[in-house]
């Protein structure tokens, strides 16, 4: 009933092209992905403008919302005070918001100075375009030196790794996504394993040796062996250890250290170790650890 | 001209989806506005329009998603095309028919996502079905039907122009 204005030939051509695209995607997946990545470059530039506009609206809404909630609590506490004092309280609250933001930036800066890695600060401007992946969009892209497979952290711990970039933005796959895998080590027992995300929005340490004495409450940190993250960054704490009869390994559920639902700023690790000396020193430390009984 | 309109629509829908739509999420699940838009245009404008808009939306969504680069292109393009085919064979499009169509297409789209993620077992599939697939399908249908009711007058005029009545 719905009659399209397009001619039959055009429609047929479009359908044939779509079918060709489907065939190409299934037969030559890596080549087609490269082609789509190539096509996506200029499209990313176009997309960055509305993305930045919507992101600023988002930040405006969240700032207003936070200020409103805080004002409610101030109002509760100071119901008896005069109107001008309430006004001053409101202004004070706005200043507090600024101080809180400054403190967050200061913490990031301190962490950046102490960290042996070269890092780049970035702002979270959006969430994954689908419900199926734990992803976040950052406002730094290839033009800022961001590349795929770079690690993303906060002072609290590991956030995830970059999986897609365009010139002005990049996409982070969070540590809680089932498609993510990071080499981790239990801080107390030094048992290594692989940290993978789960469908419950948590993470799981897999392939822990069967004889290991890991227990709930142990902290898991990055092992530094995969090259994305330097050694010793917090991933999370073990909440539950599972050891099934007949299994070759144990596994344990991890509560991530970082609250991934409330991220505003992050650091992208552009180089895990600042210079060759640091890397060499770390290698010696690792070898030293391995020799210990 | 129509292509540029669709491009403009895609440039508004995708950034809105990634930045502001989390305020409207239910159980952490947001409606897939890209799929809803492609299906609505497909239902009411024909399979070619649905396909073109779906491909554009999918391309942009893939750039802002952690998944593979093909998955949104295929699901949104396919969704728009399927909706167009369904719309072509219907005498009257009512909100109820549209809702049912959107539920089916949303579930099919989710099935492709689920397949691409290689779920570990039946438990994981069942959990995804309960926590994401059904919630998203319901949400998509609700948003689609709402948008249809909101713009029904405009679209019915378009259909009459297409059919040579006006």
């Amino acid at each position: 009933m719905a009659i399209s204005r397009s001619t039959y030939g055009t429609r047929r051509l479009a359908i044939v092209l779509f079918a060709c695209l489907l065939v190409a995607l299934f037969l030559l997946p890596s080549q087609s992905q490269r082609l789509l990545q190539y096509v996506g470059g200029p499209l990313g530039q176009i997309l960055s403008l509305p993305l930045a506009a919507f992101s600023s609206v988002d930040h405006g809404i969240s700032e207003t919302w936070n200020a409103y909630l805080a004002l409610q609590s101030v109002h509760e506490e100071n119901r008896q005070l005069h109107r001008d004092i309430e006004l001053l309280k409101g202004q004070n609250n706005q200043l507090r918001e600024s101080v809180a933001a400054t403190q967050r930036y200061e913490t990031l800066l301190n962490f950046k100075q102490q960290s042996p890695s070269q890092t780049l600060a970035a702002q979270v401007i959006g969430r994954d375009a689908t419900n199926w992946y734990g992803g976040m969009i950052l406002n730094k892209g290839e033009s800022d030196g961001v590349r795929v497979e770079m690690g993303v952290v906060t002072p609290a711990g590991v956030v995830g790794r970059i999986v897609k970039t365009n010139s002005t933005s990049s996409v982070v796959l969070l540590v809680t996504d089932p498609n993510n895998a990071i080499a981790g080590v239990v801080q107390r027992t030094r048992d290594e394993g692989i940290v993978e995300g789960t469908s419950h929005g948590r993470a799981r340490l897999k392939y822990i040796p069967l004889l290991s004495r890991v227990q709930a409450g142990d902290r898991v940190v990055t092992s530094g062996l995969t090259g994305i993250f330097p050694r010793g960054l917090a991933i999370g704490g073990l909440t539950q250890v599972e050891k099934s009869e007949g299994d070759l390994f144990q596994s344990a559920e991890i509560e991530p250290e970082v609250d991934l639902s409330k991220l505003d700023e992050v650091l992208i690790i552009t180089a895990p170790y600042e210079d060759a000396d640091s890397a060499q020193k770390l290698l010696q430390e690792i070898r030293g650890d391995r020799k210990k009984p | 001209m129509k292509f540029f309109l669709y491009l403009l629509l895609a440039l508004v829908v995708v950034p809105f989806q990634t930045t502001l739509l989390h305020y409207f999420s239910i159980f952490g699940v947001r409606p897939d506005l890209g799929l809803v838009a492609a299906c609505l245009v497909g239902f009411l404008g024909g399979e070619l329009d649905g396909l073109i808009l779906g491909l554009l939306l999918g391309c942009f969504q893939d750039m802002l998603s952690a998944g593979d680069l093909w998955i949104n292109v295929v699901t949104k393009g396919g969704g728009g095309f399927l909706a167009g085919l369904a719309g072509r064979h219907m005498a009257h499009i009512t909100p109820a028919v549209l809702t049912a169509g959107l539920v089916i297409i949303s579930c099919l789209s989710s099935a492709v996502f689920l397949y691409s993620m290689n779920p570990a077992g039946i438990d994981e599939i069942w959990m995804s079905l309960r926590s994401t697939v059904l919630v998203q399908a319901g949400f998509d249908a609700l948003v689609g039907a709402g948008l249809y009711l909101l713009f029904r007058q405009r679209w019915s005029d378009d259909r009459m122009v297409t059919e040579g009545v006006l």
Side-chain angles (χ1 to χ4, degrees):
Chain A
M1 185 66 184
I3 299 164
S4 172
R5 290 192 187 106
S6 54
T7 61
Y8 180 67
T10 321
R11 196 183 307 134
R12 199 166 52 175
L13 181 69
I15 293 162
V16 169
L17 285 176
F18 184 57
C20 289
L21 177 73
L22 280 180
V23 171
L25 283 169
F26 284 108
L27 294 182
L28 304 163
S30 60
Q31 287 90 339
S32 346
Q33 293 241 9
R34 221 174 295 142
L35 180 71
L36 286 170
Q37 180 84 42
Y38 184 73
V39 172
L43 287 178
Q45 295 252 352
I46 301 169
L47 194 60
S48 64
L49 296 170
L51 192 63
F54 276 103
S55 170
S56 63
V57 173
D58 181 33
H59 280 280
I61 291 172
S62 55
E63 271 172 27
T64 312
W65 180 250
N66 290 339
Y68 173 75
L69 282 180
L71 274 173
Q72 286 280 320
S73 63
V74 169
H75 182 69
E76 290 288 327
E77 285 174 24
N78 300 291
R79 193 183 287 266
Q80 308 302 320
L81 296 176
H82 300 293
R83 182 184 278 179
D84 54 341
I85 295 175
E86 280 181 9
L87 185 71
L88 286 172
K89 286 271 182 190
Q91 287 175 349
N92 189 27
N93 181 61
Q94 283 180 347
L95 287 171
R96 261 188 239 150
E97 279 290 309
S98 308
V99 169
T102 313
Q103 279 171 345
R104 282 205 314 269
Y105 288 127
E106 204 177 342
T107 318
L108 271 179
L109 192 66
N110 284 340
F111 177 73
K112 193 174 171 175
Q113 282 164 353
Q114 286 164 12
S115 164
S117 326
Q118 283 177 9
T119 54
L120 175 73
Q123 204 172 14
V124 177
I125 56 169
R127 286 158 180 77
D128 196 280
T130 70
N131 290 313
W132 291 95
Y133 300 97
M136 275 184 176
I137 304 160
L138 305 182
N139 69 340
K140 294 285 163 67
E142 281 169 6
S143 56
D144 305 290
V146 180
R147 298 284 178 270
V148 168
E149 290 299 324
M150 283 180 172
V152 179
V153 295
T154 68
V158 173
V159 173
R161 65 188 167 93
I162 303 280
V163 288
K164 267 181 204 168
T165 55
N166 60 51
S167 58
T168 54
S169 62
S170 49
V171 181
V172 188
L173 187 66
L174 300 178
V175 70
T176 50
D177 188 281
N179 297 300
N180 213 344
I182 296 168
V185 59
V186 180
Q187 209 166 33
R188 186 176 61 84
T189 61
R190 310 310 295 170
D191 288 309
E192 287 175 4
I194 302 290
V195 179
E196 285 182 4
T198 68
S199 44
H200 313 281
R202 286 190 167 194
R204 175 167 287 277
L205 182 67
K206 294 169 95 172
Y207 311 116
I208 310 168
L210 205 57
L211 297 175
S212 165
R213 290 179 181 176
V214 291
Q215 59 192 42
D218 281 347
R219 282 167 58 81
V220 181
V221 296
T222 52
S223 70
L225 297 178
T226 50
I228 302 175
F229 297 102
R231 191 183 182 209
L233 289 175
I235 297 175
L238 298 185
T239 53
Q240 194 184 351
V241 181
E242 282 172 24
K243 193 191 290 188
S244 306
E245 209 171 306
D247 280 357
L248 293 173
F249 298 99
Q250 301 180 69
S251 67
E253 198 168 85
I254 299 174
E255 176 75 48
E257 202 75 29
V258 181
D259 185 354
L260 298 167
S261 62
K262 290 173 187 164
L263 278 179
D264 286 325
E265 298 93 17
V266 293
L267 290 172
I268 302 169
I269 301 175
T270 51
Y273 304 105
E274 199 147 27
D275 50 33
D277 288 346
S278 306
Q280 192 62 36
K281 199 174 153 189
L282 185 88
L283 202 63
Q284 281 168 357
E285 275 178 33
I286 292 171
R287 282 177 185 154
D289 268 9
R290 288 260 166 93
K291 280 175 190 166
K292 284 178 193 168
Chain B
M1 183 61 191
K2 210 187 254 185
F3 176 80
F4 288 105
L5 270 178
Y6 289 155
L7 183 66
L8 196 69
L9 183 66
L11 283 172
V12 171
V13 167
V14 177
F16 182 76
Q17 169 98 25
T18 54
T19 53
L20 295 173
L21 209 64
H22 62 94
Y23 292 113
F24 307 100
S25 65
I26 293 178
F27 307 124
V29 177
R30 297 162 294 166
D32 191 339
L33 284 190
L35 188 70
V36 172
C39 288
L40 279 179
V41 168
F43 265 127
L44 301 155
E47 63 262 45
L48 182 63
D49 289 36
L51 178 66
I52 290 172
L53 181 63
L55 290 177
L56 276 172
L57 284 162
C59 198
F60 285 139
Q61 279 192 312
D62 272 334
M63 288 165 60
L64 300 178
S65 166
D68 289 335
L69 273 172
W70 59 270
I71 193 150
N72 280 295
V73 170
V74 169
T75 52
K76 269 65 182 184
F81 180 72
L82 274 180
L85 275 183
R88 175 186 281 278
H89 294 97
M90 274 174 206
H92 296 289
I93 294 178
T94 61
V97 169
L98 196 77
T99 305
L102 275 169
V103 166
I104 293 168
I105 292 175
S106 178
C107 286
L108 285 175
S109 162
S110 294
V112 177
F113 275 97
L114 206 55
Y115 170 77
S116 78
M117 293 180 83
N118 284 328
I122 196 77
D123 287 347
E124 207 168 307
I125 294 174
W126 180 238
M127 217 203 72
S128 300
L129 199 70
R130 279 185 305 170
S131 63
T132 312
V133 178
L134 294 177
V135 180
Q136 189 186 311
F139 218 162
D140 287 350
L142 203 69
V143 171
L147 285 173
Y148 176 71
L149 286 173
L150 202 65
F151 298 109
R152 182 161 53 177
Q153 188 58 47
R154 160 98 185 111
W155 272 328
S156 59
D157 283 353
D158 271 359
R159 281 164 71 84
M160 281 190 269
V161 168
T162 318
E163 291 161 23
V165 176
L166 290 178

